[in-house]
Amino acid sequence: MSEQCEWCESNNITKGTDHVYWELPDGTRAIKISDVPSTICHDCQMIYQSDLLIREIEDQLFLINTKEIGPETSFTNLMAQPRLLKRNYFDFTS
């Protein structure tokens, strides 16, 4: 089964990267994250990230010292930041 756009269900999608703006968990500011793996739909023009990737970013931002991140970072740099905890012990969805 081929992948489809989550918005319009088109098969005319590709994988790429995009930049996103993300509010930090403490709500103090937002940061720009560049080169985030994304799905690009060539029919409806949506560019989006998978639910799994969104959860990974949210968990990482929750588990690192966000004061060490400037106003902009790359996805690779963000995910390489050392964690203060091994996992998100406040996520009860799994």
Side-chain angles (χ1 to χ4, degrees):
M1 181 177 198
S2 65
E3 288 189 57
Q4 292 183 326
C5 173
E6 292 181 18
W7 296 91
C8 72
E9 299 181 355
S10 168
N11 291 325
N12 190 15
I13 61 172
T14 57
K15 297 294 182 180
T17 61
D18 197 20
H19 64 270
V20 298
Y21 294 88
W22 220 278
E23 184 178 355
L24 297 181
D26 63 6
T28 57
R29 62 190 172 106
I31 60 171
K32 179 180 179 180
I33 307 170
S34 59
D35 301 321
V36 179
S38 303
T39 300
I40 303 159
C41 179
H42 300 285
D43 287 338
C44 72
Q45 308 304 313
M46 287 298 295
I47 302 173
Y48 59 93
Q49 295 72 43
S50 69
D51 290 340
L52 178 61
L53 185 69
I54 291 170
R55 184 173 170 181
E56 288 176 20
I57 292 170
E58 290 283 336
D59 281 349
Q60 184 70 353
L61 287 171
F62 189 74
L63 297 172
I64 65 173
N65 182 358
T66 57
K67 291 180 181 13
E68 295 181 6
I69 298 175
E72 184 174 340
T73 189
S74 70
F75 175 77
T76 304
N77 184 50
L78 173 68
M79 300 312 283
Q81 294 294 311
R83 291 181 168 193
L84 302 173
L85 297 170
K86 291 182 183 180
R87 61 182 280 268
N88 184 351
Y89 294 100
F90 301 102
D91 180 5
F92 303 109
T93 59
S94 56

